[in-house]
Amino acid sequence: VAVYVAGDLEIGTIRQGPGCPRETARPPLATDTVRFAGEVVAVVIAESERAGKDAADLVWVDIEPLDAVADLDAAMAEDAPVLFPEVGSNVVVDRVGDRDEDLFAGADVVVEARFHNQRVAPVPIETNNALAVPNDDGTMTLWVGSQNVFGHVPIAKVIGMEKSDLRVRVTDMGGGFGAKFYMYPEQVLTAAAAKALGRPVKWVESRTDNLTGMTHGRCQDQHLELGLTSDGLIVGLRATVSQDTGAYPTFGAFIPSWTNLMASGTYVIPRIETHYRSVVTNTVPIHAYRGAGRPEAAAMVERIVDIAAAELGMDPVELRRKNLLAPADFPYETPTGAKYDTGDYAAALDRALELADYDGRRADQARRRESGDRLQLGVGVSCYVEITAPGEPMEWSSVEIHEDGTATAWVGTSGHGQGHETAFAQIVGELLG
């Protein structure tokens, strides 16, 4: 039916990540430069999947090889090839400030470590998709598998439509894990093609395309320094995070700010200094995945606490218990500005230790080590608290009571398979009696 390359469709760019240079905005179709394996370079519209694949096989892409950088160290090297020459550097967000030389005042020991929180692929059961249906009155309905229906409304602007003329709809879907928050180029192109052709256009991603095109998660380098007294009291923490954002910085460039926000973990840490930078590489873009920066924070804090326990010769549980926030400390604001409402972390830890038979596990571990048993036992401990709704906690709802005693509730959240309809009905029913 049609074949499109850059310039054939009237489309704009997908907005760059927060705080990133405008020049890093992503074109839905590669324009002049291909920055990662998996980037869209051409669109084939066909009457059937088979015809589309046959036609796609006839597309020949002539690409002149360029030097690439596939990891953070390579991207930040002095002589690194720059993905966006007009920006002048692969560092697209730089929040690395001066160091406080008194941060560890009063510490008897300072432990230091570097961690890599590895890149992961979300791999939902259902791949990405879109169905764009143009209407006779110039409006369009766009069906997408999305966790964030409102985040796909800007597709209207990208393809030159009024926002009020595009209705985005979401049904139940087979997994998202954060990766389906993103407004994907293929979804933009599906809508743009439907607008250009004046007929419905559908796109369903193959598993291969999903693995090369869907945003990835994590991919942080973390440099941690923790100062403690000889009896195990934490006096200060310094965290410097380098975030790989992939070829186009999206929300992933913002993720380390949440990592640093949660750097205090479950502990009382009087002084915390945080730094971060976000860097582009010739890889799949990074976006939200299962906690978006917060599990990365828990991982780095818990690992450095374990290293400190080993350095001091303390049981890792006792070191944690010594520094946990107490119920009397709440409400509590951490040095990074995170506000904790309530909790009893020591009680939760004690209950977990009881359920896991921690003392028994440690005794078993000691016996195995002493006897040189071929099968050794590792015992890990981790405390976790997550900052939820870390942005502005805004939401909308309305309830109308009808004359016949029934009620209608509207909510601003978008359900896509979790049973929102049942849960909200139960909440409203319980509150109204």
Side-chain angles (χ1 to χ4, degrees), residues 191-212:
K195 180 188 175 189
L197 295 169
R199 60 189 292 188
V201 174
K202 180 176 70 172
W203 166 71
V204 178
E205 189 177 50
S206 71
R207 178 58 64 190
T208 299
D209 288 342
N210 177 264
L211 290 169
T212 55

Side-chain angles (χ1 to χ4, degrees), residues 226-301:
L226 187 69
L228 309 94
T229 62
S230 57
D231 60 351
L233 197 65
I234 297 174
V235 300
L237 170 71
R238 178 181 289 123
T240 303
V241 175
S242 295
Q243 174 71 59
D244 186 341
T245 73
Y248 293 98
T250 63
F251 174 73
F254 178 78
I255 284 176
S257 68
W258 281 357
T259 303
N260 287 344
L261 180 66
M262 218 180 85
S264 190
T266 56
Y267 308 111
V268 178
I269 305 179
R271 297 189 294 272
I272 300 179
E273 180 182 296
T274 61
H275 310 271
Y276 80 89
R277 60 175 66 87
S278 296
V279 185
V280 289
T281 61
N282 293 113
T283 59
V284 178
I286 296 290
H287 203 266
Y289 174 75
R290 299 296 292 172
R294 288 157 286 176
E296 292 93 314
M300 72 181 188
V301 173

